[in-house]
Amino acid sequence: MYTVHKAISIIVLAKQAAVELGTDVVPVFWIAGEDHDLAEVSHLYRGINGRLDKLNVPHTEYGKNSASTAQLNKSTVEAYLKEYFRSLPETAYSKELQALVFTKLEKADSYTDFFALLLNHFFNEEGLLYIDAADTSLRQYETPYFEEMIRHSEEIAHAVADTEAQLQEAGYAAAIGAEENAANLFVTVQGERILLQREGERFTGKGAAIEYTLDELLEIARTSPENLSNNVVTRPLMQEMVFPVLAFVGGPGEIAYWAALKNVFQTAGMEMPVVMPRLSMTLVSRKVEALLKKYNLSAAEVAKGQKIPEMRQHLMESIREEQAEQLIEELEQQLQAKYIEIKKAFSTISGGLEPLVEKNLQFHQKQLQFLKNKLEDEVILQNSTQFAHFDLLELELHPNGGYQERIFSPFPYMNDYGLNLVKELLALDFEYDKNHKLIYL
């Protein structure tokens, strides 16, 4: 969801800037297709009986390929998506949504293709442009910029390391973990993307398994730039070199990286663009809204993560069978006391019997714990409706201990409210600020 929110942010901000500046401002979505961490983009979360379930699509067959070079095994992805859609309720929009997704999958060759085709479907009337950072033609265009980064890699590394040191002194975390000898570039060798380091006048990677001189790396930039790619330090530089960037829109993690980059831009003789946080929002379904009213809650306090655990604990305390629990605890105490006597008696016969006594005690303690658990399960079952309500509120508003937008895809919401959901979000009168938005559907 946060990807959709980022696209909305770019569009809203571009329209606002165009009015204020009196000139055209173009929204561009930079797709980091060179990224090879396919595990990060090979799963979907779904809600199953009020619990979060992570459904992984097999991706090891793609090896070290990036999101733009991995050729999708469409039969595997199709089977995976069918399994995912089976977990969603059948609604008036289900067939249309699934038809759209499988149509885009048929046209896609890579992760990047599939992503761009889907996203563009929902923003195709907004003038949002997409650029794949791994595109071969773009890499050719970037040749002189790669050369500049290679020549100035030492100054770039020092600039970001010094700034991070200052940030740490001021009490901030080092988001990048910059190193003085970092080259801040990747090179692709036999399909594997390898991060480079500087070792004196040479560039090495993969534990010095590969090694280049300055001239050799510059030659790669000139003759096969598609084998070079940026990391979090040099990607913002490349964006500024390729485009006249007015503003960069990012999430909290990305902005944390940018905090260390101002001197890097100065080192490269450029001005750092304005950094803007993306709009952050939570969608509140009608069912969740009804439950919030039922329990006199606000979506905001549930999204903060403390209220539901407190209410769940309070409910549990109020329905506990304290008398039965006390009987079990008393029995456990008596058992432990008797086993102390048994252990003493056995030890006078043979010290080797003591472990047997301990093991026997643990067996009985385990059985008593089993009784405790069964008692708790039965009490919860008798109050299952209220617990299920709490689970649903937490699942939708604070899943996995965080914001909904970082867990769920747009599919469950489109399945319930239709494929025009994105257009309806775009039609809202957003105030572009750092406040988290609550959108009632």
Side-chain angles (χ1 to χ4, degrees):
M1 283 298 295
Y2 76 80
T3 304
V4 172
H5 300 164
K6 184 180 287 187
I8 291 173
S9 303
I10 298 166
I11 293 164
V12 169
L13 191 62
K15 289 179 179 178
Q16 178 182 315
V19 172
E20 292 180 8
L21 300 175
T23 188
D24 291 334
V25 178
V26 182
V28 179
F29 199 109
W30 183 282
I31 304 172
E34 75 271 57
D35 201 327
H36 59 282
D37 186 4
L38 298 184
E40 191 176 29
V41 294
S42 293
H43 62 269
L44 283 170
Y45 285 100
R46 56 184 178 174
I48 301 291
N49 298 323
R51 293 288 184 267
L52 200 61
D53 178 57
K54 186 178 182 180
L55 186 63
N56 293 294
V57 63
H59 61 274
T60 54
E61 65 182 284
Y62 306 125
K64 300 291 184 178
N65 276 293
S66 70
S68 290
T69 59
Q71 296 296 296
L72 289 178
N73 182 330
K74 292 187 184 180
S75 60
T76 300
V77 177
E78 184 175 350
Y80 163 81
L81 288 170
K82 284 180 177 177
E83 166 65 17
Y84 172 77
F85 283 124
R86 275 195 291 269
S87 67
L88 300 181
E90 185 74 26
T91 71
Y93 306 109
S94 298
K95 289 183 179 178
E96 184 185 5
L97 175 61
Q98 292 177 40
L100 167 69
V101 171
F102 290 119
T103 298
K104 300 304 182 187
L105 175 62
E106 184 60 33
K107 294 178 180 178
D109 292 322
S110 66
Y111 279 87
T112 298
D113 292 339
F114 194 22
F115 170 79
L117 285 165
L118 273 174
L119 200 62
N120 186 57
H121 176 85
F122 299 108
F123 293 98
N124 60 1
E125 296 178 4
E126 299 299 329
L128 180 63
L129 303 183
Y130 307 86
I131 187 160
D132 177 13
D135 183 82
T136 303
S137 298
L138 177 64
R139 284 285 188 255
Q140 296 290 333
Y141 179 79
E142 292 173 341
T143 285
Y145 306 140
F146 276 124
E147 291 182 272
E148 189 172 342
M149 290 175 186
I150 293 166
R151 289 194 180 96
H152 296 284
S153 63
E154 185 172 357
E155 298 98 304
I156 290 171
H158 285 312
V160 69
D162 289 347
T163 305
E164 278 209 320
Q166 293 171 26
L167 287 169
Q168 286 181 293
E169 287 177 11
Y172 296 96
I176 297 175
E179 298 177 355
E180 296 277 356
N181 66 336
N184 293 303
L185 289 172
F186 288 91
V187 63
T188 299
V189 179
Q190 295 180 343
E192 182 177 356
R193 190 167 176 246
I194 299 167
L195 186 62
L196 292 172
Q197 302 284 325
R198 285 180 298 99
E199 302 288 344
E201 295 297 316
R202 308 183 78 80
F203 294 82
T204 64
K206 205 175 180 181
I210 63 166
E211 185 176 309
Y212 303 98
T213 64
L214 174 63
D215 288 339
E216 286 171 339
L217 198 57
L218 288 171
E219 183 64 17
I220 291 175
R222 283 189 289 267
T223 60
S224 52
E226 67 276 6
N227 289 327
L228 294 176
S229 55
N230 301 109
N231 75 342
V232 295
V233 172
T234 55
R235 183 180 297 147
L237 288 180
M238 186 62 82
Q239 290 172 350
E240 180 68 23
M241 290 169 170
V242 171
F243 293 109
V245 180
L246 173 63
F248 169 81
V249 177
E254 292 167 306
I255 290 175
Y257 291 142
W258 278 71
L261 298 182
K262 184 174 182 180
N263 289 340
V264 175
F265 278 89
Q266 291 177 346
T267 297
M270 296 185 296
E271 184 177 353
M272 185 174 176
V274 177
V275 177
M276 296 291 291
R278 65 165 166 78
L279 292 169
S280 179
M281 62 190 88
T282 289
L283 305 185
V284 183
S285 67
R286 290 164 201 161
K287 185 173 183 179
V288 166
E289 185 179 6
L291 289 176
L292 290 171
K293 290 178 180 177
K294 177 181 175 69
Y295 294 104
N296 195 28
L297 292 166
S298 71
E301 60 185 339
V302 175
K304 288 178 181 176
Q306 294 181 331
K307 194 65 178 178
I308 293 300
E310 289 174 1
M311 293 178 67
R312 191 184 284 117
Q313 182 63 31
H314 179 74
L315 176 60
M316 194 66 218
E317 292 294 330
S318 69
I319 62 175
R320 284 176 58 189
E321 289 292 338
E322 294 184 10
Q323 184 177 2
E325 288 180 6
Q326 183 65 31
L327 288 172
I328 295 173
E329 288 174 7
E330 288 175 0
L331 178 57
E332 187 172 14
Q333 291 170 3
Q334 293 168 7
L335 198 65
Q336 287 176 337
K338 285 297 181 183
Y339 264 87
I340 290 173
E341 295 178 14
I342 293 172
K343 189 175 181 179
K344 287 180 180 178
F346 274 47
S347 65
T348 61
I349 302 170
S350 170
L353 292 173
E354 289 187 20
L356 181 64
V357 176
E358 288 287 346
K359 188 174 182 180
N360 196 255
L361 172 60
Q362 290 171 8
F363 171 78
H364 288 294
Q365 288 175 325
K366 186 176 180 181
Q367 290 301 307
L368 289 174
Q369 186 61 50
F370 173 78
L371 279 179
K372 283 183 184 178
N373 293 341
K374 283 298 180 182
L375 177 63
E376 184 175 300
D377 289 346
E378 185 59 33
V379 169
I380 291 174
L381 182 63
Q382 291 176 8
N383 296 269
S384 59
T385 299
Q386 199 164 345
F387 280 110
H389 290 168
F390 292 164
D391 289 344
L392 179 61
L393 286 169
E394 197 168 53
L395 178 70
E396 291 215 17
L397 300 180
H398 193 66
N400 217 23
Y403 280 137
Q404 168 201 98
E405 62 187 12
R406 298 201 64 84
I407 296 296
F408 289 115
S409 87
F411 293 151
Y413 301 96
M414 291 178 180
N415 189 60
D416 286 340
Y417 296 98
L419 275 67
N420 286 328
L421 178 62
V422 171
K423 290 182 180 179
E424 291 166 2
L425 291 175
L426 274 165
L428 296 175
D429 185 19
F430 283 109
E431 184 175 350
Y432 204 112
D433 56 29
K434 63 181 180 180
N435 295 327
H436 189 82
K437 318 294 182 188
L438 295 171
I439 314 296
Y440 289 84
L441 301 172

